[in-house]
Amino acid sequence: MQRPATTAQPPVALMKDRLLRPDQAAWYLNVKTSWVYEAVRRGALPCRRVGRHIRFTKAMLDEWLAEQPRQ
C-alpha cells in the first residue's frame, strides 16, 4: 500500500546540509515554485545542477537572501 502524499515540509533544521528541491526552496523562501524556476532561468537565483535537475542548499539560499537589498 502506498503512503498518502503530504504537503507538509520537514523542519528547516533537518534540511541543514541536504540538497533542496525547487519546491522545498520555494517553501523556505516563501514564494511560489514557479518563481524559483523563473529566477534560476534568469540567473537571479543561484543553484546547483545535478544532471538536468536544479538543487539548492540552505546556506546558498541564506547567502542569496543576505545579498538582496531591503525594500
Side-chain angles (χ1 to χ4, degrees), residues 3-66:
R3 269 190 326 180
T6 63
T7 58
Q9 296 292 324
V12 174
L14 295 178
M15 299 187 300
K16 181 180 173 191
D17 296 326
R18 299 192 54 132
L19 290 175
L20 306 178
R21 296 183 316 261
D23 63 312
Q24 294 169 319
W27 176 82
Y28 184 71
L29 296 174
N30 198 27
V31 297
K32 292 182 178 183
T33 305
S34 59
W35 183 91
V36 171
Y37 282 112
E38 180 61 24
V40 167
R41 189 186 67 74
R42 289 190 329 259
L45 184 65
C47 70
R48 300 262 187 229
R49 297 221 176 247
V50 180
R52 63 185 188 136
H53 304 283
I54 57 174
R55 296 294 185 260
F56 308 87
T57 62
K58 183 180 176 298
M60 180 187 298
L61 297 174
D62 287 339
E63 185 177 318
W64 177 82
L65 279 171

